[in-house]
Amino acid sequence: IEIKHLLPQLAVVFLAINMSIFGIDAIISLSNAMIHALYAAFPSTTVWGVLGSITSQSASLGLVALFILIVFIILAVILLVYYVMRLVILYLGAILAPLVILLWLLPSFKDFVTAAAKTYLTTIFVLFVHVVILLLAASIFAGMLNGGPVTGLNPLMGAIVGIATLITLLKTQRMMMELSYVSVGPKALRKLGSQFVTGVSYISTKSKALKAASAEGAAK
């Protein structure tokens, strides 16, 4: 790496290391502001309260309701563990951010730094997507509770929708990561094509220069 190319990178990395904690705080504040704006725009009953009303009315289903409630509780505990892990990852990312930014100076670690940044951003903004899913689920549950005297409430279907909601919440981050890596393949191909074109143009330029030099030598 030539020093004239390294000095601007060192300046950028030095600034990023010293501003990393403030940048992370700003991104988390942006995510929280989006969540508060969403709740302010769509004030409604929380999905957990509606689920409690549905499960309390499922006693008539007997063994089926008991099995569904057990699965629901297990998934709820897994989701709680996931949120605790998310907090740990946010703290760990904030601590290791200067070291990860420093690794960006090494060409072999640039892909690693990019992947780490995408994972961290996904971990931050996944909560906003979770809130959207929970609001949609709450609207579905509210429609079940207010279905009217003809349709009534189907506790079995409500519990199944609740389990489907929890499974969707657990798989959201994985889906977001897959979407973020969709552009990696085409980007790598474009980079490889650019390098190939640069190499071909360099070889053709050198060959022309050699031919001109040989022609000039033959003329002399």
Side-chain angles (χ1 to χ4, degrees), residues 12-33:
V12 171
V13 167
F14 179 77
L15 181 62
I17 287 175
N18 287 277
M19 299 296 294
S20 61
I21 188 67
F22 302 104
I24 291 173
D25 181 67
I27 294 173
I28 294 176
S29 299
L30 175 62
S31 175
N32 293 334

Side-chain angles (χ1 to χ4, degrees), residues 100-210:
V100 174
I101 295 172
L102 191 62
L103 289 176
W104 184 76
L105 287 173
L106 303 176
S108 58
F109 281 93
K110 286 189 176 181
D111 293 334
F112 167 77
V113 174
T114 302
K118 287 183 178 180
T119 303
Y120 196 72
L121 289 175
T122 303
T123 305
I124 292 175
F125 287 102
V126 71
L127 189 61
F128 175 77
V129 182
H130 280 189
V131 172
V132 174
I133 295 173
L134 290 175
L135 287 176
L136 292 174
S139 65
I140 296 174
F141 292 139
M144 290 182 178
L145 288 175
N146 302 322
V150 179
T151 57
L153 172 66
N154 188 345
L156 178 61
M157 191 61 193
I160 291 175
V161 173
I163 293 174
T165 302
L166 292 178
I167 294 175
T168 304
L169 291 174
L170 292 173
K171 291 187 175 181
T172 300
Q173 184 167 0
R174 180 180 177 182
M175 182 185 68
M176 291 176 64
M177 288 299 301
E178 291 177 353
L179 291 176
S180 66
Y181 285 116
V182 167
S183 60
V184 172
K187 184 178 179 181
L189 289 177
R190 288 194 298 268
K191 185 177 180 180
L192 182 62
S194 176
Q195 291 177 350
F196 178 75
V197 171
T198 303
V200 171
S201 62
Y202 176 77
I203 293 173
S204 62
T205 303
K206 293 293 290 185
S207 63
K208 290 179 180 179
L210 289 175

Side-chain angles (χ1 to χ4, degrees), residues 2-49:
E2 296 182 4
I3 191 64
K4 63 180 181 180
H5 295 154
L6 187 60
L7 286 177
Q9 295 182 11
L10 284 173
V12 171
V13 167
F14 179 77
L15 181 62
I17 287 175
N18 287 277
M19 299 296 294
S20 61
I21 188 67
F22 302 104
I24 291 173
D25 181 67
I27 294 173
I28 294 176
S29 299
L30 175 62
S31 175
N32 293 334
M34 292 168 61
I35 293 173
H36 290 309
L38 192 62
Y39 272 122
F42 302 98
S44 60
T45 308
T46 60
V47 66
W48 309 111

Side-chain angles (χ1 to χ4, degrees), residues 49-121:
V50 180
L51 278 175
S53 302
I54 291 175
T55 52
S56 64
Q57 301 180 34
S58 61
S60 60
L61 296 177
L63 186 61
V64 177
L66 179 62
F67 175 75
I68 291 177
L69 288 177
I70 290 174
V71 175
F72 177 77
I73 291 173
I74 292 173
L75 289 175
V77 172
I78 294 174
L79 186 62
L80 179 62
V81 173
Y82 167 78
Y83 283 131
V84 174
M85 290 175 59
R86 176 181 176 271
L87 287 176
V88 173
I89 292 173
L90 291 181
Y91 282 117
L92 186 62
I95 294 171
L96 296 180
L99 178 61
V100 174
I101 295 172
L102 191 62
L103 289 176
W104 184 76
L105 287 173
L106 303 176
S108 58
F109 281 93
K110 286 189 176 181
D111 293 334
F112 167 77
V113 174
T114 302
K118 287 183 178 180
T119 303
Y120 196 72
L121 289 175

